[in-house]
Every structure is written in C-alpha cells, then in structure tokens.
Amino acid sequence: MAIAASLPQSGRVECCYSTGPCHEHNFTHHAQCDACPCCRDTCDNVSSCISCQKKQNAITMVPRLGSSSNLLSLISSICTGESPENNSTQKTYTMCQLKRHNHAESAWILVGDTIYDATPYIRSHPGGTETILRKSGGAADCTEDMRFHSGRAQREWRRFKVGTLVACPRQSS
C-alpha cells in the first residue's frame, strides 16, 4: 500500500492512503505520511498532516466520550483498538508507535510487553549510548538486559514505565 500526501497552497498536508499517486486531491506538491493507517500511530509531521491530526483528535476525545455511556465506551474501544475493559489510565502503544522512539531524544525500550523510557539514562549509561539505541524502538526485547542490571537499577526502571505493548490491528488480521 503506497501512502500519498498532498500539500495545498495553505501549506497544510492532506494525507490519504492510496495505491498510487494522490488522485483524491488536486495539489501539485507531495509529502509523505508514514503513519500506520490501522492504529493510533501518527507521522512525524503531525502538526501539518491533517489525517494524523484527525486521528490524534479522535484519540483525545475517546476517553471523554467513553466515560458517559457503555455504548460510547464500546465504540471508543473499537476506534482505538483497545479492549473495552482496559483502564483508561493505562497507556498502551503499538509496535508502530514504539518504533518512532529509537533515537537519543526519545529512546524507549521493550521488556516483555512493558515499555520504558530510557532517554534520561542514555547519556550516562555505563555501557554507552549505543547499547541503548541499538535496542530502542522495539528493535529487541530487553528482558535479558533487564535481568543483568542490579535490583536497585530494576526498581529505578519502574519509575520510567511508559506503558504496555498491544498488537496493531494490521498485525492481527
């Protein structure tokens, strides 16, 4: 599936998912939106990508709507890909979202199905920056690496839990 995006004269990007060039919009400039169309993943250009802005707005509206009715909660869970019984305070992320956190400014690591933010430690890690970056963004499961660390370090990590990994609907189908 090719992903096309159009840049209108206003400078805002209108994204669409098509099998070729963007025929839906009559604009001459094209930019790329690499967000997964099946989950809550948004592209790096969310500030100018209308499709990702719509997705982000729908996600932020879901908890407010879901609390008022069981039906709305069920609809919200379908839209976000989460099970209806999930606690709204528990953060969940797909691998599509996790993969975006693989650099020195945002290095998230995966331990089993738990995601931790290693960014605060990246520059002071005794093993060096590359040891974290090599496995960040879900590139590898760091369960064995976590066991290697002292109990004190493992307890410290718990403070930097970001959330839990859930399957992207694209991977489920």
Side-chain angles (χ1 to χ4, degrees):
M1 168 187 298
I3 302 171
S6 303
L7 183 62
Q9 292 175 345
S10 69
R12 295 175 61 85
V13 176
E14 176 71 32
C15 299
C16 64
Y17 297 94
S18 63
T19 56
C22 181
H23 299 291
E24 184 178 335
H25 309 99
N26 191 18
F27 305 118
T28 56
H29 301 295
H30 288 276
Q32 288 291 359
C33 173
D34 62 352
C36 175
C38 301
C39 70
R40 296 171 298 177
D41 182 38
T42 55
C43 71
D44 293 333
N45 298 317
V46 72
S47 62
S48 59
C49 177
I50 293 172
S51 177
C52 289
Q53 286 175 7
K54 288 177 183 176
K55 191 186 294 190
Q56 197 171 46
N57 289 340
I59 293 167
T60 57
M61 290 179 62
V62 165
R64 285 182 273 152
L65 293 173
S67 61
S68 63
S69 137
N70 285 338
L71 179 59
L72 287 175
S73 179
L74 179 60
I75 292 169
S76 298
S77 68
I78 293 168
C79 293
T80 62
E82 293 180 355
S83 62
E85 60 275 354
N86 264 4
N87 182 345
S88 62
T89 60
Q90 181 181 353
K91 302 267 187 198
T92 58
Y93 299 90
T94 64
M95 186 59 79
C96 305
Q97 293 170 295
L98 177 59
K99 286 180 180 179
R100 295 189 180 277
H101 299 274
N102 64 349
H103 48 85
E105 290 75 37
S106 183
W108 290 5
I109 61 168
L110 182 63
V111 179
D113 67 348
T114 304
I115 302 167
Y116 296 96
D117 185 356
T119 312
Y121 291 107
I122 200 161
R123 301 210 192 304
S124 62
H125 189 266
T129 301
E130 282 304 311
T131 59
I132 293 176
L133 288 179
R134 191 173 29 247
K135 296 185 178 185
S136 68
D141 185 331
C142 298
T143 301
E144 288 302 314
D145 299 286
M146 184 63 83
R147 289 186 187 132
F148 168 79
H149 289 84
S150 68
R152 180 176 173 258
Q154 290 180 33
R155 284 188 299 278
E156 183 73 18
W157 271 111
R158 290 187 190 114
R159 295 183 332 128
F160 294 96
K161 179 180 176 181
V162 175
T164 305
L165 185 68
V166 294
C168 170
R170 174 189 279 175
Q171 297 162 340
S172 302
S173 56

